[in-house]
Amino acid sequence: MKEINTNQFKVTERIQLKNISTTFDLDADKEQIEKALEDVREELGDFQNTIYAHGKYAILICIQGMDTAGKDSMIREVFKDFNTRGIVVHSFKVPTELELNHDYLWRHYIALPARGKFSVFNRTHYENVLVTRVHPGYILGENLPDVNSIDDVNDAFWDKRFDQINDFEKHIAQNGTIIFKFFLHLSKDEQKNRLLRRLRKAEKNWKFSPGDLKERKLWDTYQDCYEDAINRTSKAHAPWYTIPADDKPTARYIVARILYDALIQYKDIVEPELEDEIKENLDEYIKQLESE
């Protein structure tokens, strides 16, 4: 299995999604890739404990992708060895009435991780410049004071919303949140295959909705919106990574490797040392317990 440079998936300049492959050859079979994932996720799990004890950074992991891109299974497999006390997964659905009575970032802000913990956003605040951009009528449901019709959801509106998202991420990064944003880059052909599997397997039927086919017809529009969002918001403090997602084991390994390789660069993340007085009396504490 070949070594990979995880920086090759980071978006550091303008991209065109049509020029980025949805596949990646690790020169390994499925069993080798799954074993490599197992190894790196164990390392991630150990590092999670250090981050928790250190208590000065929070980790936000944002996962976006077209339907069937593998978001749920990605989360299940990559974070399998995490201590559940240190990680929370949030799946953002259609906004509730309560959420619509706040600004669109509110529900994401209150879900941010505390210092020492991980939060995974399964679908993210980017839905507000993706789904709503493909379906601008949804913006009317936000009841904004300066939006009275679809005509008000114009280029200036989206420019402002992208500025707000960039400001949001800059703010939390400056206050100790390490941000990772993963776009699971799936091909249209592979999505078709996965939708067919959903329909043909009884245990997968519940995942299918006729709306999936309606959204599929808007594939090109979604790709344009993803491309624009990634190009506008991939920053040094909040980078996007485009992950080839046609093969799920490969995608999971790449994401886990990116997380681990990036996090170990934070040399200040170490477990706290005991106070000198406690260190000096460790033998005495041991004797007290052994003499009980």
mmCIF file of all heavy atoms in Angstrom, residues 4 6 9 33-34 36-45 47 61 63 74-75 77-82 118 180 182 184 241 243 248-264:
data_model
loop_
_atom_site.group_PDB
_atom_site.id
_atom_site.type_symbol
_atom_site.label_atom_id
_atom_site.label_comp_id
_atom_site.label_asym_id
_atom_site.label_seq_id
_atom_site.Cartn_x
_atom_site.Cartn_y
_atom_site.Cartn_z
ATOM 1 N N ILE A 4 0.671 8.208 1.167
ATOM 2 C CA ILE A 4 0.019 9.340 0.524
ATOM 3 C C ILE A 4 0.436 10.635 1.209
ATOM 4 O O ILE A 4 0.723 10.658 2.405
ATOM 5 C CB ILE A 4 -1.520 9.221 0.547
ATOM 6 C CG1 ILE A 4 -2.057 9.158 1.982
ATOM 7 C CG2 ILE A 4 -1.978 8.027 -0.254
ATOM 8 C CD1 ILE A 4 -3.572 9.232 2.061
ATOM 9 N N THR A 6 -1.142 13.760 2.363
ATOM 10 C CA THR A 6 -2.513 14.200 2.592
ATOM 11 C C THR A 6 -2.752 15.634 2.124
ATOM 12 O O THR A 6 -3.899 16.023 1.878
ATOM 13 C CB THR A 6 -2.890 14.062 4.075
ATOM 14 O OG1 THR A 6 -1.910 14.733 4.887
ATOM 15 C CG2 THR A 6 -2.932 12.593 4.470
ATOM 16 N N PHE A 9 -4.883 16.601 -1.085
ATOM 17 C CA PHE A 9 -6.346 16.689 -1.110
ATOM 18 C C PHE A 9 -6.841 18.042 -0.590
ATOM 19 O O PHE A 9 -8.031 18.330 -0.672
ATOM 20 C CB PHE A 9 -6.938 15.562 -0.261
ATOM 21 C CG PHE A 9 -6.488 14.196 -0.696
ATOM 22 C CD1 PHE A 9 -5.499 13.517 0.007
ATOM 23 C CD2 PHE A 9 -7.026 13.598 -1.829
ATOM 24 C CE1 PHE A 9 -5.062 12.260 -0.402
ATOM 25 C CE2 PHE A 9 -6.602 12.340 -2.244
ATOM 26 C CZ PHE A 9 -5.612 11.675 -1.527
ATOM 27 N N ILE A 33 -6.604 -1.948 2.934
ATOM 28 C CA ILE A 33 -7.067 -0.583 3.224
ATOM 29 C C ILE A 33 -7.797 -0.543 4.561
ATOM 30 O O ILE A 33 -7.582 0.377 5.377
ATOM 31 C CB ILE A 33 -7.979 -0.077 2.091
ATOM 32 C CG1 ILE A 33 -7.194 0.019 0.780
ATOM 33 C CG2 ILE A 33 -8.577 1.282 2.452
ATOM 34 C CD1 ILE A 33 -8.059 0.282 -0.435
ATOM 35 N N GLU A 34 -8.631 -1.526 4.828
ATOM 36 C CA GLU A 34 -9.368 -1.551 6.089
ATOM 37 C C GLU A 34 -8.428 -1.738 7.269
ATOM 38 O O GLU A 34 -8.649 -1.166 8.347
ATOM 39 C CB GLU A 34 -10.430 -2.654 6.048
ATOM 40 C CG GLU A 34 -11.583 -2.313 5.100
ATOM 41 C CD GLU A 34 -12.637 -3.392 5.022
ATOM 42 O OE1 GLU A 34 -12.341 -4.533 5.456
ATOM 43 O OE2 GLU A 34 -13.746 -3.116 4.534
ATOM 44 N N ALA A 36 -5.285 -0.667 7.320
ATOM 45 C CA ALA A 36 -4.609 0.627 7.465
ATOM 46 C C ALA A 36 -5.507 1.625 8.182
ATOM 47 O O ALA A 36 -5.040 2.409 9.025
ATOM 48 C CB ALA A 36 -4.202 1.165 6.094
ATOM 49 N N LEU A 37 -6.805 1.597 7.862
ATOM 50 C CA LEU A 37 -7.763 2.474 8.544
ATOM 51 C C LEU A 37 -7.825 2.115 10.028
ATOM 52 O O LEU A 37 -7.835 3.001 10.893
ATOM 53 C CB LEU A 37 -9.140 2.344 7.908
ATOM 54 C CG LEU A 37 -10.287 3.028 8.668
ATOM 55 C CD1 LEU A 37 -10.044 4.533 8.782
ATOM 56 C CD2 LEU A 37 -11.628 2.752 7.983
ATOM 57 N N GLU A 38 -7.874 0.839 10.320
ATOM 58 C CA GLU A 38 -7.932 0.400 11.720
ATOM 59 C C GLU A 38 -6.728 0.935 12.500
ATOM 60 O O GLU A 38 -6.860 1.421 13.631
ATOM 61 C CB GLU A 38 -7.965 -1.128 11.777
ATOM 62 C CG GLU A 38 -8.064 -1.697 13.175
ATOM 63 C CD GLU A 38 -8.083 -3.210 13.181
ATOM 64 O OE1 GLU A 38 -8.434 -3.806 12.131
ATOM 65 O OE2 GLU A 38 -7.755 -3.800 14.222
ATOM 66 N N ASP A 39 -5.554 0.876 11.888
ATOM 67 C CA ASP A 39 -4.336 1.351 12.564
ATOM 68 C C ASP A 39 -4.383 2.853 12.836
ATOM 69 O O ASP A 39 -4.078 3.306 13.943
ATOM 70 C CB ASP A 39 -3.098 1.015 11.721
ATOM 71 C CG ASP A 39 -2.817 -0.475 11.653
ATOM 72 O OD1 ASP A 39 -3.351 -1.220 12.500
ATOM 73 O OD2 ASP A 39 -2.074 -0.893 10.744
ATOM 74 N N VAL A 40 -4.775 3.619 11.829
ATOM 75 C CA VAL A 40 -4.738 5.072 11.995
ATOM 76 C C VAL A 40 -5.862 5.544 12.905
ATOM 77 O O VAL A 40 -5.701 6.509 13.670
ATOM 78 C CB VAL A 40 -4.775 5.798 10.633
ATOM 79 C CG1 VAL A 40 -6.127 5.694 9.959
ATOM 80 C CG2 VAL A 40 -4.386 7.266 10.798
ATOM 81 N N ARG A 41 -7.009 4.868 12.896
ATOM 82 C CA ARG A 41 -8.087 5.314 13.788
ATOM 83 C C ARG A 41 -7.773 4.972 15.244
ATOM 84 O O ARG A 41 -8.219 5.676 16.155
ATOM 85 C CB ARG A 41 -9.426 4.745 13.344
ATOM 86 C CG ARG A 41 -9.701 3.316 13.679
ATOM 87 C CD ARG A 41 -11.065 2.901 13.160
ATOM 88 N NE ARG A 41 -11.308 1.500 13.451
ATOM 89 C CZ ARG A 41 -12.036 0.704 12.674
ATOM 90 N NH1 ARG A 41 -12.586 1.175 11.559
ATOM 91 N NH2 ARG A 41 -12.232 -0.551 13.004
ATOM 92 N N GLU A 42 -6.972 3.925 15.482
ATOM 93 C CA GLU A 42 -6.511 3.655 16.842
ATOM 94 C C GLU A 42 -5.579 4.766 17.313
ATOM 95 O O GLU A 42 -5.652 5.216 18.472
ATOM 96 C CB GLU A 42 -5.801 2.306 16.902
ATOM 97 C CG GLU A 42 -6.744 1.111 16.835
ATOM 98 C CD GLU A 42 -6.014 -0.214 16.871
ATOM 99 O OE1 GLU A 42 -4.757 -0.198 16.971
ATOM 100 O OE2 GLU A 42 -6.670 -1.266 16.817
ATOM 101 N N GLU A 43 -4.716 5.234 16.411
ATOM 102 C CA GLU A 43 -3.838 6.354 16.745
ATOM 103 C C GLU A 43 -4.652 7.616 17.011
ATOM 104 O O GLU A 43 -4.340 8.395 17.935
ATOM 105 C CB GLU A 43 -2.839 6.591 15.613
ATOM 106 C CG GLU A 43 -1.844 5.471 15.424
ATOM 107 C CD GLU A 43 -0.878 5.737 14.290
ATOM 108 O OE1 GLU A 43 -1.322 5.749 13.124
ATOM 109 O OE2 GLU A 43 0.321 5.953 14.571
ATOM 110 N N LEU A 44 -5.682 7.834 16.207
ATOM 111 C CA LEU A 44 -6.562 8.979 16.428
ATOM 112 C C LEU A 44 -7.266 8.872 17.783
ATOM 113 O O LEU A 44 -7.406 9.873 18.495
ATOM 114 C CB LEU A 44 -7.619 9.054 15.321
ATOM 115 C CG LEU A 44 -7.290 9.866 14.076
ATOM 116 C CD1 LEU A 44 -8.402 9.685 13.040
ATOM 117 C CD2 LEU A 44 -7.105 11.339 14.403
ATOM 118 N N GLY A 45 -7.703 7.693 18.119
ATOM 119 C CA GLY A 45 -8.372 7.485 19.397
ATOM 120 C C GLY A 45 -7.455 7.791 20.567
ATOM 121 O O GLY A 45 -7.871 8.413 21.553
ATOM 122 N N PHE A 47 -4.888 9.825 20.427
ATOM 123 C CA PHE A 47 -4.627 11.263 20.407
ATOM 124 C C PHE A 47 -5.824 12.035 20.952
ATOM 125 O O PHE A 47 -5.673 13.102 21.555
ATOM 126 C CB PHE A 47 -4.294 11.716 18.984
ATOM 127 C CG PHE A 47 -3.619 13.055 18.923
ATOM 128 C CD1 PHE A 47 -2.319 13.209 19.354
ATOM 129 C CD2 PHE A 47 -4.290 14.165 18.435
ATOM 130 C CE1 PHE A 47 -1.685 14.441 19.304
ATOM 131 C CE2 PHE A 47 -3.671 15.404 18.378
ATOM 132 C CZ PHE A 47 -2.365 15.545 18.819
ATOM 133 N N ILE A 61 -15.254 18.921 12.731
ATOM 134 C CA ILE A 61 -15.109 18.178 11.485
ATOM 135 C C ILE A 61 -16.412 18.296 10.708
ATOM 136 O O ILE A 61 -17.471 17.862 11.173
ATOM 137 C CB ILE A 61 -14.772 16.701 11.767
ATOM 138 C CG1 ILE A 61 -13.435 16.615 12.517
ATOM 139 C CG2 ILE A 61 -14.721 15.893 10.474
ATOM 140 C CD1 ILE A 61 -13.227 15.315 13.236
ATOM 141 N N ILE A 63 -18.571 17.483 7.308
ATOM 142 C CA ILE A 63 -18.633 16.512 6.207
ATOM 143 C C ILE A 63 -19.813 16.846 5.302
ATOM 144 O O ILE A 63 -20.963 16.882 5.741
ATOM 145 C CB ILE A 63 -18.753 15.074 6.727
ATOM 146 C CG1 ILE A 63 -17.550 14.740 7.623
ATOM 147 C CG2 ILE A 63 -18.848 14.088 5.572
ATOM 148 C CD1 ILE A 63 -17.574 13.348 8.218
ATOM 149 N N MET A 74 -18.889 6.931 6.822
ATOM 150 C CA MET A 74 -17.596 7.583 7.076
ATOM 151 C C MET A 74 -17.455 7.875 8.565
ATOM 152 O O MET A 74 -16.425 7.549 9.189
ATOM 153 C CB MET A 74 -17.508 8.878 6.270
ATOM 154 C CG MET A 74 -16.329 9.773 6.609
ATOM 155 S SD MET A 74 -14.760 9.157 5.990
ATOM 156 C CE MET A 74 -14.997 9.367 4.220
ATOM 157 N N ILE A 75 -18.473 8.467 9.139
ATOM 158 C CA ILE A 75 -18.435 8.826 10.560
ATOM 159 C C ILE A 75 -18.347 7.566 11.419
ATOM 160 O O ILE A 75 -17.556 7.495 12.377
ATOM 161 C CB ILE A 75 -19.677 9.663 10.917
ATOM 162 C CG1 ILE A 75 -19.609 11.018 10.194
ATOM 163 C CG2 ILE A 75 -19.784 9.871 12.420
ATOM 164 C CD1 ILE A 75 -20.912 11.800 10.204
ATOM 165 N N GLU A 77 -17.111 4.599 10.714
ATOM 166 C CA GLU A 77 -15.860 3.844 10.600
ATOM 167 C C GLU A 77 -14.629 4.631 11.063
ATOM 168 O O GLU A 77 -13.725 4.060 11.657
ATOM 169 C CB GLU A 77 -15.670 3.389 9.150
ATOM 170 C CG GLU A 77 -16.715 2.399 8.667
ATOM 171 C CD GLU A 77 -16.750 1.131 9.506
ATOM 172 O OE1 GLU A 77 -15.672 0.660 9.932
ATOM 173 O OE2 GLU A 77 -17.860 0.614 9.738
ATOM 174 N N VAL A 78 -14.592 5.931 10.796
ATOM 175 C CA VAL A 78 -13.392 6.704 11.148
ATOM 176 C C VAL A 78 -13.297 6.937 12.652
ATOM 177 O O VAL A 78 -12.212 6.918 13.228
ATOM 178 C CB VAL A 78 -13.377 8.053 10.393
ATOM 179 C CG1 VAL A 78 -12.274 8.965 10.924
ATOM 180 C CG2 VAL A 78 -13.176 7.803 8.896
ATOM 181 N N PHE A 79 -14.441 7.111 13.318
ATOM 182 C CA PHE A 79 -14.416 7.480 14.736
ATOM 183 C C PHE A 79 -14.797 6.327 15.664
ATOM 184 O O PHE A 79 -15.157 6.545 16.813
ATOM 185 C CB PHE A 79 -15.332 8.689 14.956
ATOM 186 C CG PHE A 79 -14.956 9.874 14.102
ATOM 187 C CD1 PHE A 79 -15.698 10.185 12.968
ATOM 188 C CD2 PHE A 79 -13.841 10.626 14.390
ATOM 189 C CE1 PHE A 79 -15.347 11.259 12.160
ATOM 190 C CE2 PHE A 79 -13.467 11.693 13.591
ATOM 191 C CZ PHE A 79 -14.224 12.013 12.470
ATOM 192 N N LYS A 80 -14.671 5.118 15.154
ATOM 193 C CA LYS A 80 -15.080 3.933 15.905
ATOM 194 C C LYS A 80 -14.306 3.762 17.210
ATOM 195 O O LYS A 80 -14.837 3.246 18.194
ATOM 196 C CB LYS A 80 -14.926 2.693 15.020
ATOM 197 C CG LYS A 80 -15.469 1.422 15.625
ATOM 198 C CD LYS A 80 -15.352 0.258 14.644
ATOM 199 C CE LYS A 80 -16.342 0.383 13.496
ATOM 200 N NZ LYS A 80 -16.341 -0.815 12.620
ATOM 201 N N ASP A 81 -13.048 4.191 17.257
ATOM 202 C CA ASP A 81 -12.216 3.990 18.440
ATOM 203 C C ASP A 81 -12.170 5.203 19.358
ATOM 204 O O ASP A 81 -11.343 5.259 20.264
ATOM 205 C CB ASP A 81 -10.793 3.608 18.022
ATOM 206 C CG ASP A 81 -10.726 2.219 17.409
ATOM 207 O OD1 ASP A 81 -11.510 1.352 17.841
ATOM 208 O OD2 ASP A 81 -9.910 1.994 16.499
ATOM 209 N N PHE A 82 -13.054 6.161 19.134
ATOM 210 C CA PHE A 82 -13.097 7.340 20.001
ATOM 211 C C PHE A 82 -13.859 7.033 21.287
ATOM 212 O O PHE A 82 -14.795 6.242 21.304
ATOM 213 C CB PHE A 82 -13.777 8.502 19.285
ATOM 214 C CG PHE A 82 -12.848 9.334 18.451
ATOM 215 C CD1 PHE A 82 -11.950 8.752 17.573
ATOM 216 C CD2 PHE A 82 -12.860 10.712 18.547
ATOM 217 C CE1 PHE A 82 -11.099 9.515 16.793
ATOM 218 C CE2 PHE A 82 -12.012 11.497 17.784
ATOM 219 C CZ PHE A 82 -11.121 10.895 16.898
ATOM 220 N N PHE A 118 -14.404 16.782 20.299
ATOM 221 C CA PHE A 118 -14.638 16.759 18.862
ATOM 222 C C PHE A 118 -16.137 16.905 18.601
ATOM 223 O O PHE A 118 -16.953 16.306 19.309
ATOM 224 C CB PHE A 118 -14.196 15.434 18.246
ATOM 225 C CG PHE A 118 -12.713 15.233 18.121
ATOM 226 C CD1 PHE A 118 -11.907 15.104 19.241
ATOM 227 C CD2 PHE A 118 -12.117 15.145 16.866
ATOM 228 C CE1 PHE A 118 -10.541 14.892 19.119
ATOM 229 C CE2 PHE A 118 -10.754 14.934 16.728
ATOM 230 C CZ PHE A 118 -9.960 14.814 17.856
ATOM 231 N N PHE A 180 -11.777 21.173 10.173
ATOM 232 C CA PHE A 180 -11.567 20.350 8.982
ATOM 233 C C PHE A 180 -12.876 20.306 8.204
ATOM 234 O O PHE A 180 -13.940 20.059 8.789
ATOM 235 C CB PHE A 180 -11.180 18.915 9.354
ATOM 236 C CG PHE A 180 -9.890 18.771 10.104
ATOM 237 C CD1 PHE A 180 -9.874 18.833 11.486
ATOM 238 C CD2 PHE A 180 -8.695 18.577 9.434
ATOM 239 C CE1 PHE A 180 -8.692 18.694 12.193
ATOM 240 C CE2 PHE A 180 -7.503 18.428 10.129
ATOM 241 C CZ PHE A 180 -7.499 18.489 11.516
ATOM 242 N N PHE A 182 -14.554 18.426 4.853
ATOM 243 C CA PHE A 182 -14.369 17.369 3.863
ATOM 244 C C PHE A 182 -15.544 17.353 2.886
ATOM 245 O O PHE A 182 -16.701 17.244 3.293
ATOM 246 C CB PHE A 182 -14.271 16.008 4.547
ATOM 247 C CG PHE A 182 -13.083 15.866 5.462
ATOM 248 C CD1 PHE A 182 -13.257 15.861 6.838
ATOM 249 C CD2 PHE A 182 -11.805 15.758 4.942
ATOM 250 C CE1 PHE A 182 -12.174 15.732 7.687
ATOM 251 C CE2 PHE A 182 -10.712 15.625 5.780
ATOM 252 C CZ PHE A 182 -10.894 15.616 7.164
ATOM 253 N N LEU A 184 -16.984 14.994 0.152
ATOM 254 C CA LEU A 184 -16.901 13.642 -0.389
ATOM 255 C C LEU A 184 -17.302 13.710 -1.857
ATOM 256 O O LEU A 184 -18.478 13.825 -2.200
ATOM 257 C CB LEU A 184 -17.806 12.694 0.400
ATOM 258 C CG LEU A 184 -17.566 12.655 1.916
ATOM 259 C CD1 LEU A 184 -18.393 11.542 2.554
ATOM 260 C CD2 LEU A 184 -16.086 12.482 2.239
ATOM 261 N N TYR A 241 -11.025 19.873 2.053
ATOM 262 C CA TYR A 241 -10.339 18.740 1.436
ATOM 263 C C TYR A 241 -11.339 18.056 0.506
ATOM 264 O O TYR A 241 -12.470 17.745 0.930
ATOM 265 C CB TYR A 241 -9.863 17.730 2.477
ATOM 266 C CG TYR A 241 -8.811 18.244 3.430
ATOM 267 C CD1 TYR A 241 -9.165 18.955 4.576
ATOM 268 C CD2 TYR A 241 -7.454 18.018 3.200
ATOM 269 C CE1 TYR A 241 -8.211 19.422 5.456
ATOM 270 C CE2 TYR A 241 -6.484 18.478 4.081
ATOM 271 C CZ TYR A 241 -6.864 19.184 5.203
ATOM 272 O OH TYR A 241 -5.915 19.656 6.085
ATOM 273 N N ILE A 243 -12.306 14.757 -1.202
ATOM 274 C CA ILE A 243 -12.005 13.344 -0.944
ATOM 275 C C ILE A 243 -12.615 12.474 -2.039
ATOM 276 O O ILE A 243 -13.846 12.472 -2.212
ATOM 277 C CB ILE A 243 -12.576 12.910 0.424
ATOM 278 C CG1 ILE A 243 -12.110 13.849 1.540
ATOM 279 C CG2 ILE A 243 -12.188 11.463 0.719
ATOM 280 C CD1 ILE A 243 -10.617 13.930 1.719
ATOM 281 N N LYS A 248 -15.602 3.592 -0.878
ATOM 282 C CA LYS A 248 -15.785 4.002 0.514
ATOM 283 C C LYS A 248 -14.582 3.694 1.411
ATOM 284 O O LYS A 248 -14.156 4.563 2.190
ATOM 285 C CB LYS A 248 -17.059 3.387 1.084
ATOM 286 C CG LYS A 248 -18.336 3.997 0.524
ATOM 287 C CD LYS A 248 -19.556 3.441 1.224
ATOM 288 C CE LYS A 248 -20.846 4.098 0.702
ATOM 289 N NZ LYS A 248 -22.041 3.614 1.412
ATOM 290 N N PRO A 249 -13.989 2.481 1.365
ATOM 291 C CA PRO A 249 -12.828 2.224 2.224
ATOM 292 C C PRO A 249 -11.673 3.197 1.968
ATOM 293 O O PRO A 249 -11.025 3.669 2.910
ATOM 294 C CB PRO A 249 -12.445 0.777 1.877
ATOM 295 C CG PRO A 249 -13.718 0.157 1.408
ATOM 296 C CD PRO A 249 -14.424 1.246 0.660
ATOM 297 N N THR A 250 -11.442 3.525 0.696
ATOM 298 C CA THR A 250 -10.373 4.466 0.360
ATOM 299 C C THR A 250 -10.674 5.843 0.930
ATOM 300 O O THR A 250 -9.804 6.491 1.535
ATOM 301 C CB THR A 250 -10.201 4.557 -1.170
ATOM 302 O OG1 THR A 250 -9.802 3.274 -1.672
ATOM 303 C CG2 THR A 250 -9.151 5.586 -1.538
ATOM 304 N N ALA A 251 -11.910 6.298 0.771
ATOM 305 C CA ALA A 251 -12.293 7.619 1.281
ATOM 306 C C ALA A 251 -12.136 7.688 2.796
ATOM 307 O O ALA A 251 -11.633 8.685 3.337
ATOM 308 C CB ALA A 251 -13.729 7.928 0.878
ATOM 309 N N ARG A 252 -12.544 6.642 3.481
ATOM 310 C CA ARG A 252 -12.439 6.634 4.948
ATOM 311 C C ARG A 252 -10.987 6.692 5.396
ATOM 312 O O ARG A 252 -10.648 7.428 6.335
ATOM 313 C CB ARG A 252 -13.107 5.371 5.498
ATOM 314 C CG ARG A 252 -14.599 5.300 5.261
ATOM 315 C CD ARG A 252 -15.113 3.883 5.477
ATOM 316 N NE ARG A 252 -16.510 3.742 5.072
ATOM 317 C CZ ARG A 252 -17.100 2.574 4.841
ATOM 318 N NH1 ARG A 252 -16.409 1.435 4.972
ATOM 319 N NH2 ARG A 252 -18.373 2.529 4.482
ATOM 320 N N TYR A 253 -10.139 5.925 4.738
ATOM 321 C CA TYR A 253 -8.728 5.928 5.114
ATOM 322 C C TYR A 253 -8.113 7.312 4.888
ATOM 323 O O TYR A 253 -7.379 7.819 5.741
ATOM 324 C CB TYR A 253 -7.955 4.877 4.313
ATOM 325 C CG TYR A 253 -6.459 4.987 4.534
ATOM 326 C CD1 TYR A 253 -5.883 4.587 5.729
ATOM 327 C CD2 TYR A 253 -5.635 5.543 3.548
ATOM 328 C CE1 TYR A 253 -4.522 4.720 5.950
ATOM 329 C CE2 TYR A 253 -4.276 5.675 3.763
ATOM 330 C CZ TYR A 253 -3.721 5.266 4.965
ATOM 331 O OH TYR A 253 -2.369 5.417 5.189
ATOM 332 N N ILE A 254 -8.413 7.926 3.759
ATOM 333 C CA ILE A 254 -7.839 9.240 3.449
ATOM 334 C C ILE A 254 -8.262 10.278 4.495
ATOM 335 O O ILE A 254 -7.434 11.060 4.981
ATOM 336 C CB ILE A 254 -8.232 9.693 2.027
ATOM 337 C CG1 ILE A 254 -7.557 8.801 0.984
ATOM 338 C CG2 ILE A 254 -7.855 11.148 1.794
ATOM 339 C CD1 ILE A 254 -8.055 9.030 -0.441
ATOM 340 N N VAL A 255 -9.535 10.283 4.870
ATOM 341 C CA VAL A 255 -10.010 11.231 5.869
ATOM 342 C C VAL A 255 -9.319 11.003 7.210
ATOM 343 O O VAL A 255 -8.854 11.950 7.868
ATOM 344 C CB VAL A 255 -11.544 11.136 6.028
ATOM 345 C CG1 VAL A 255 -12.021 11.857 7.287
ATOM 346 C CG2 VAL A 255 -12.226 11.720 4.797
ATOM 347 N N ALA A 256 -9.243 9.752 7.636
ATOM 348 C CA ALA A 256 -8.583 9.448 8.912
ATOM 349 C C ALA A 256 -7.117 9.860 8.882
ATOM 350 O O ALA A 256 -6.585 10.416 9.855
ATOM 351 C CB ALA A 256 -8.710 7.959 9.223
ATOM 352 N N ARG A 257 -6.456 9.608 7.760
ATOM 353 C CA ARG A 257 -5.039 9.966 7.628
ATOM 354 C C ARG A 257 -4.847 11.475 7.660
ATOM 355 O O ARG A 257 -3.915 11.983 8.291
ATOM 356 C CB ARG A 257 -4.524 9.403 6.304
ATOM 357 C CG ARG A 257 -3.044 9.492 6.068
ATOM 358 C CD ARG A 257 -2.323 8.361 6.754
ATOM 359 N NE ARG A 257 -1.619 8.796 7.934
ATOM 360 C CZ ARG A 257 -1.062 7.977 8.820
ATOM 361 N NH1 ARG A 257 -1.172 6.669 8.670
ATOM 362 N NH2 ARG A 257 -0.440 8.435 9.872
ATOM 363 N N ILE A 258 -5.735 12.210 6.991
ATOM 364 C CA ILE A 258 -5.659 13.676 7.007
ATOM 365 C C ILE A 258 -5.789 14.194 8.435
ATOM 366 O O ILE A 258 -5.013 15.048 8.885
ATOM 367 C CB ILE A 258 -6.751 14.286 6.107
ATOM 368 C CG1 ILE A 258 -6.410 14.058 4.622
ATOM 369 C CG2 ILE A 258 -6.912 15.782 6.384
ATOM 370 C CD1 ILE A 258 -7.544 14.402 3.675
ATOM 371 N N LEU A 259 -6.777 13.692 9.165
ATOM 372 C CA LEU A 259 -6.999 14.144 10.531
ATOM 373 C C LEU A 259 -5.773 13.900 11.399
ATOM 374 O O LEU A 259 -5.302 14.802 12.111
ATOM 375 C CB LEU A 259 -8.211 13.433 11.135
ATOM 376 C CG LEU A 259 -9.580 13.840 10.587
ATOM 377 C CD1 LEU A 259 -10.662 12.885 11.094
ATOM 378 C CD2 LEU A 259 -9.913 15.268 10.985
ATOM 379 N N TYR A 260 -5.257 12.694 11.327
ATOM 380 C CA TYR A 260 -4.112 12.354 12.188
ATOM 381 C C TYR A 260 -2.873 13.150 11.799
ATOM 382 O O TYR A 260 -2.202 13.737 12.663
ATOM 383 C CB TYR A 260 -3.819 10.856 12.117
ATOM 384 C CG TYR A 260 -2.699 10.453 13.048
ATOM 385 C CD1 TYR A 260 -2.895 10.427 14.429
ATOM 386 C CD2 TYR A 260 -1.442 10.119 12.551
ATOM 387 C CE1 TYR A 260 -1.865 10.074 15.285
ATOM 388 C CE2 TYR A 260 -0.409 9.769 13.404
ATOM 389 C CZ TYR A 260 -0.626 9.748 14.770
ATOM 390 O OH TYR A 260 0.410 9.405 15.622
ATOM 391 N N ASP A 261 -2.573 13.199 10.509
ATOM 392 C CA ASP A 261 -1.362 13.906 10.069
ATOM 393 C C ASP A 261 -1.417 15.385 10.419
ATOM 394 O O ASP A 261 -0.387 16.001 10.738
ATOM 395 C CB ASP A 261 -1.172 13.733 8.554
ATOM 396 C CG ASP A 261 -0.714 12.339 8.177
ATOM 397 O OD1 ASP A 261 -0.507 11.515 9.091
ATOM 398 O OD2 ASP A 261 -0.582 12.060 6.964
ATOM 399 N N ALA A 262 -2.607 15.985 10.347
ATOM 400 C CA ALA A 262 -2.733 17.408 10.667
ATOM 401 C C ALA A 262 -2.662 17.647 12.171
ATOM 402 O O ALA A 262 -1.998 18.586 12.630
ATOM 403 C CB ALA A 262 -4.042 17.955 10.104
ATOM 404 N N LEU A 263 -3.317 16.804 12.950
ATOM 405 C CA LEU A 263 -3.381 17.044 14.388
ATOM 406 C C LEU A 263 -2.038 16.851 15.086
ATOM 407 O O LEU A 263 -1.728 17.567 16.043
ATOM 408 C CB LEU A 263 -4.442 16.141 15.024
ATOM 409 C CG LEU A 263 -5.889 16.525 14.696
ATOM 410 C CD1 LEU A 263 -6.861 15.470 15.199
ATOM 411 C CD2 LEU A 263 -6.236 17.886 15.286
ATOM 412 N N ILE A 264 -1.238 15.918 14.607
ATOM 413 C CA ILE A 264 0.053 15.706 15.278
ATOM 414 C C ILE A 264 1.033 16.832 15.006
ATOM 415 O O ILE A 264 2.112 16.881 15.614
ATOM 416 C CB ILE A 264 0.682 14.347 14.892
ATOM 417 C CG1 ILE A 264 0.975 14.275 13.388
ATOM 418 C CG2 ILE A 264 -0.196 13.201 15.356
ATOM 419 C CD1 ILE A 264 1.740 13.016 12.990
#
